[in-house]
Amino acid sequence: MSFESARNHFSALIKAGTTLMLAALITFSISAQDAAAPTAAGIYNKGLAALKTKDYATGFPMMEQALQLATEANNEQVMGLAKKNGAMAAYNLGMSKLKAKAFDEANGLFNKGIGMSDTYSSNYIGLARVLKDQGKYSEAIDAFFLGSGKAKAEGKAKKAADAEKRAKGIITSLYSGKKYADVVTIGEKFLAKASNADVSYYVGKSMVQGGNDAGAVAHFDKALAGSIADTDKVNYAKAQSLEKLGKNADAVAAYKLVTGEKYKAQVDHKVSTLK
């Protein structure tokens, strides 16, 4: 073999060796990447660690990712845990957005939480609070009562009562703002879901403003049948509506039930003059 042939043969061997080494490196790189691929359990554990430090902004997306991976792998254990902790994380992160008045983000988070766990009451109540702050009162009433029902199913009576109290607060606020038509509409929706003496009174008084004294009397009777604290104001309002309806005898009977000093002069006059 000539010197030139030998040199060419040696060069070919070096080039072939380099190619083999490069192929080996690529193969190793791909294998290492596969080994480091995230798992549902691994992502879940990282997310849980973040949630334990109340880092919901980090932990919640990890719960979403863990749930997706667990669903793809049909890993029921991680799916269940990611849904449970993800729903709680969604609520906490959603509340931080609500406090910052980032309503759209809060709404999205609460709905994601509901999607993860439709039995967890907090996200329904959080969603109701967003809707209330956005002025979507009818939808807020629905969400508050849905949350209240879920809370009762969880055995959390205090939480359920608080949700209904927040729903009542909508009616109180509307009445204070003299939005009487809204009080009637939203108040009757409330009363279709739960009895409340104060709400019945507000609806009755608002109906008076709209000229519906017959409807008002029916609501005043419901208020009196409930546990309203100030019966004098209800009986006085009822008597006034009965008087306007021309039911004087019934009006006098209602006036006579008013015993406090606040209305005494008016009541004495009405009882002595109405026939």
Side-chain angles (χ1 to χ4, degrees):
M1 179 183 292
S2 67
F3 175 76
E4 186 65 30
S5 297
R7 186 177 67 176
N8 289 339
H9 180 68
F10 183 69
S11 297
L13 287 173
I14 292 174
K15 188 179 294 185
T18 303
T19 303
L20 288 171
M21 287 176 65
L22 181 61
L25 284 172
I26 292 172
T27 303
F28 176 76
S29 176
I30 292 172
S31 299
Q33 186 177 7
D34 286 344
T39 65
I43 296 297
Y44 169 79
N45 287 332
K46 289 181 180 179
L48 186 62
L51 296 184
K52 286 180 178 179
T53 64
K54 298 186 179 180
D55 183 1
Y56 304 112
T58 299
F60 176 67
M62 287 185 171
M63 287 298 157
E64 286 188 297
Q65 187 182 359
L67 178 57
Q68 180 181 348
L69 291 171
T71 302
E72 292 170 357
N74 197 28
N75 186 332
E76 293 186 3
Q77 182 183 17
V78 175
M79 284 170 62
L81 291 170
K83 286 179 179 180
K84 180 180 177 181
N85 287 292
M88 289 188 282
Y91 170 74
N92 284 287
L93 188 55
M95 285 303 296
S96 70
K97 298 298 182 181
L98 175 59
K99 290 174 183 176
K101 299 189 183 301
F103 298 129
D104 289 342
E105 290 182 74
N107 186 303
L109 284 161
F110 292 133
N111 274 300
K112 282 183 177 181
I114 290 168
M116 287 179 164
S117 176
D118 62 2
T119 61
Y120 183 53
S121 62
S122 293
N123 281 307
Y124 294 96
I125 297 170
L127 178 60
R129 292 179 65 174
V130 172
L131 294 168
K132 172 182 172 290
D133 285 357
Q134 289 180 311
K136 299 176 181 179
Y137 301 125
S138 182
E139 295 173 59
I141 291 290
D142 287 336
F144 273 127
F145 275 99
L146 192 51
S148 176
K150 299 289 183 180
K152 289 175 183 176
E154 291 171 325
K156 298 178 179 177
K158 186 176 182 298
K159 191 175 184 181
D162 180 69
E164 290 190 19
K165 184 178 179 180
R166 289 182 181 277
K168 177 192 168 185
I170 294 174
I171 314 301
T172 303
S173 179
L174 289 170
Y175 183 74
S176 297
K178 299 182 179 181
K179 297 181 179 180
Y180 300 120
D182 289 336
V183 173
V184 173
T185 302
I186 307 300
E188 289 197 317
K189 184 170 196 175
F190 179 107
L191 293 169
K193 300 174 184 295
S195 297
N196 187 284
D198 290 318
V199 173
S200 291
Y201 173 73
Y202 294 140
V203 171
K205 288 286 286 183
S206 297
M207 284 182 165
V208 169
Q209 294 295 325
N212 183 4
D213 285 285
V217 169
H219 279 286
F220 293 142
D221 282 336
K222 289 178 182 178
L224 291 166
S227 56
I228 197 159
D230 188 352
T231 57
D232 273 0
K233 71 177 183 181
V234 184
N235 279 313
Y236 189 77
K238 176 184 174 182
Q240 287 181 309
S241 286
L242 288 168
E243 184 180 350
K244 284 191 282 183
L245 291 167
K247 300 180 178 182
N248 290 355
D250 291 337
V252 169
Y255 278 126
K256 287 182 177 179
L257 294 173
V258 180
T259 59
E261 290 296 320
K262 181 178 179 179
Y263 303 100
K264 188 176 188 310
Q266 300 95 312
V267 166
D268 289 345
H269 174 72
K270 292 293 185 180
V271 169
S272 63
T273 57
L274 280 179
K275 302 296 182 183

